[in-house]
Amino acid sequence: MRSFLFLSLFLISLFYACNSAEQKASKKHGNDLVSDTIQTAPELVYKYGFCLDSFAVRIDTVKNGQTLSHVFLPLGLNQAEINEADLKGRDSLIGLNFIVPGHIFTSLYLPGDTVKPQYIVYEKNKLDYVIYDVRNGINLRKSQREHEVRTREVAGRISSSLWNAFIDKDLSPDLVVRVINAYQWSVDFFSIQPNDYYKLVFDEVYVDDEAIAVDNVRAIELHTYDSSYYAFPFEVDGKISFYDIEGGSLRKALLKAPLDYIRVSSKFSNARRHPVLGIVRPHHGVDYAAPLGTPVVSVGDGVVTRAGWAGGAGRMIVIKHNDKIKTYYLHLHKMNVKAGDHVDQGQVIGQVGSTGLSTGPHLDYRIEINGKKVDPLSAQIPTSEPLDEKYLPVYMEVSDSLKALLGTIPTPPVLNEQNDSTAVN
């Protein structure tokens, strides 16, 4: 009985206490609560995996010339901790070799503590961020904001260049670079014609309904010179490469061209009047007009067999790519390699110049196959990584389906003088 009495008194007091608190809350908010009213708590703010309402938050933006020390010292970290944070950030999994001006650091302090934060978060980009846990030593981890991947289908006509056609339609520079990289061995992008067109299917990463990055390219069709060149990605032994409609690799032993040039100023010929000597003789190369100092790259992997002065050819580099193929680079301003050096495809080997018998800055580029000079603009270069026959049945199924998908994208209308490049989204 006594226990029951104490329990009853406790429940009655609890009721009045809650009722009193409710009335005080009602007066505080200026409302008269009724028995069935439900109070909704304010929505909590979550970011970087933290409930920000539990912290005092400070936000800093990286300024030009600032290093990790400039940012971390005012936050209460000492130089030893900063050095540890810098060293651990360079781990391959974190990949933070430097901080970028304009990017944000968010520091999270315990309420009432302004001496040193618990966590510091650096936004590497709009998707990735790094968390510095500085509570007990320095510990780092990389994470990503919530995001989704959406597939897009686009098509457009080209009025001047593929780059301009993409940028004019707000397609990212990263996307056009990926497309150019896929075709760099098989298409001369400086010979693209007005009203050529492209179609492609690709995935984009979205954060807060904003497209922030290209995830991957699924299928490409580039229509030029009345032919369609297809590029489809296919994975073999963990490596993704692009292949054509029949399963041939788009990667060739040599790049299509060794530089970014303005125009072809002189083509391959067995009888050309020399612009300096004035006599008719063979010109077994292609002259690419380009500004003085334009980087020149090796069109393929190989070994430098010659790098030096070569009379009328000026400064010249010769690269042996295999037992059959050599390439020549004439009239160079500067050379970055020497005889005996191993070079990789795409490696800068020198700069455009006007040395030797030359009337202006240009690169005279030549290809020799089996000891015979061939026209670089029409040379048939073998693929360097043919698709193994055992993969062809699966690839052909993929290729057919992707070609059919590209076929469902409407071909963009032909441009006229009043229209710019047109894209269909």
Side-chain angles (χ1 to χ4, degrees):
M1 176 65 78
R2 182 173 295 178
S3 298
F4 175 78
L5 180 60
F6 280 124
L7 179 59
S8 299
L9 290 173
F10 172 75
L11 291 174
I12 291 171
S13 64
L14 182 62
F15 168 79
Y16 280 109
C18 292
N19 189 47
S20 175
E22 207 172 68
Q23 289 175 353
K24 288 178 181 178
S26 173
K27 289 178 181 180
K28 181 178 180 181
H29 294 282
N31 297 321
D32 291 327
L33 298 180
V34 293
S35 59
D36 60 350
T37 299
I38 299 176
Q39 286 288 73
T40 303
E43 185 176 352
L44 300 178
V45 178
Y46 287 89
K47 195 173 184 180
Y48 312 124
F50 298 102
C51 176
L52 297 188
D53 300 73
S54 303
F55 297 92
V57 179
R58 168 176 170 168
I59 299 176
D60 293 283
T61 301
V62 180
K63 298 178 176 59
N64 288 329
Q66 284 192 325
T67 64
L68 211 58
S69 293
H70 292 107
V71 178
F72 278 8
L73 279 173
L75 299 179
L77 276 70
N78 60 45
Q79 194 59 54
E81 292 173 320
I82 294 171
N83 293 341
E84 183 181 358
D86 181 51
L87 183 63
K88 289 184 175 179
R90 296 172 187 273
D91 181 273
S92 60
L93 296 178
I94 303 297
L96 189 59
N97 293 323
F98 53 85
I99 58 176
V100 180
H103 288 208
I104 291 174
F105 275 99
T106 300
S107 304
L108 306 180
Y109 294 80
L110 291 178
D113 180 7
T114 60
V115 176
K116 184 178 177 181
Q118 301 284 292
Y119 304 95
I120 306 171
V121 183
Y122 173 66
E123 295 187 3
K124 290 184 63 178
N125 49 52
K126 292 184 177 181
L127 178 64
D128 302 302
Y129 58 88
V130 176
I131 299 175
Y132 296 82
D133 184 343
V134 298
R135 293 173 299 171
N136 184 20
I138 304 293
N139 295 291
L140 275 67
R141 68 178 184 272
K142 187 172 72 172
S143 191
Q144 292 185 328
R145 297 176 64 183
E146 290 187 6
H147 61 278
E148 63 174 321
V149 177
R150 303 177 189 173
T151 299
R152 287 185 61 187
E153 301 173 0
V154 299
R157 290 280 176 178
I158 301 168
S159 60
S160 57
S161 69
L162 187 68
W163 179 274
N164 290 336
F166 275 41
I167 300 304
D168 288 347
K169 296 304 171 184
D170 293 326
L171 297 173
S172 72
D174 179 41
L175 182 61
V176 67
V177 167
R178 292 188 188 213
V179 172
I180 290 173
N181 284 343
Y183 287 110
Q184 63 182 313
W185 296 275
S186 54
V187 174
D188 185 347
F189 285 96
F190 291 93
S191 298
I192 290 288
Q193 301 296 302
N195 267 315
D196 288 344
Y197 67 83
Y198 62 87
K199 296 181 181 181
L200 65 148
V201 181
F202 64 101
D203 293 335
E204 275 187 315
V205 179
Y206 283 75
V207 172
D208 295 335
D209 211 34
E210 176 190 1
I212 64 166
V214 175
D215 188 49
N216 64 70
V217 176
R218 293 178 175 268
I220 318 170
E221 176 187 354
L222 182 61
H223 190 88
T224 181
Y225 285 99
D226 297 322
S227 298
S228 283
Y229 296 86
Y230 293 92
F232 304 133
F234 190 72
E235 183 175 342
V236 176
D237 297 330
K239 181 180 179 181
I240 296 177
S241 300
F242 281 91
Y243 298 87
D244 64 21
I245 198 73
E246 300 296 336
S249 174
L250 292 187
R251 180 181 173 91
K252 306 291 183 180
L254 305 182
L255 296 174
K256 196 69 176 178
L259 77 168
D260 292 337
Y261 57 93
I262 295 176
R263 69 185 188 280
V264 172
S265 55
S266 183
K267 295 184 178 180
F268 187 94
S269 173
N270 288 316
R272 183 195 73 161
R273 183 173 297 279
H274 194 280
V276 176
L277 300 177
I279 60 176
V280 175
R281 67 180 189 180
H283 179 249
H284 289 162
V286 172
D287 288 349
Y288 293 106
L292 183 71
T294 299
V296 176
V297 304
S298 173
V299 294
D301 299 343
V303 176
V304 177
T305 60
R306 181 174 180 176
W309 191 264
R315 293 189 181 92
M316 180 180 74
I317 295 173
V318 181
I319 299 175
K320 182 179 180 180
H321 301 281
N322 53 39
D323 291 338
K324 297 180 179 180
I325 301 175
K326 289 183 180 179
T327 54
Y328 296 72
Y329 310 80
L330 285 63
H331 306 299
L332 296 171
H333 176 59
K334 289 184 178 180
M335 299 181 294
N336 297 357
V337 295
K338 62 184 184 299
D341 286 351
H342 290 264
V343 293
D344 297 323
Q345 188 175 67
Q347 179 180 332
V348 175
I349 57 174
Q351 297 177 1
V352 167
S354 187
T355 56
L357 294 176
S358 169
T359 58
H362 73 286
L363 175 72
D364 183 342
Y365 169 59
R366 306 185 178 198
I367 299 178
E368 183 181 286
I369 299 179
N370 291 324
K372 181 181 179 181
K373 295 293 194 306
V374 299
D375 186 352
L377 297 180
S378 59
Q380 297 299 309
I381 306 300
T383 60
S384 59
E385 298 176 359
L387 190 62
D388 194 299
E389 288 187 4
K390 67 182 180 181
Y391 298 113
L392 280 176
V394 175
Y395 176 79
M396 294 310 297
E397 289 185 13
V398 173
S399 171
D400 290 343
S401 64
L402 291 175
K403 182 181 178 182
L405 176 60
L406 289 168
T408 65
I409 302 174
T411 300
V414 174
L415 299 176
N416 54 46
E417 294 181 357
Q418 287 73 38
N419 289 340
D420 263 329
S421 54
T422 302
V424 177
N425 292 294

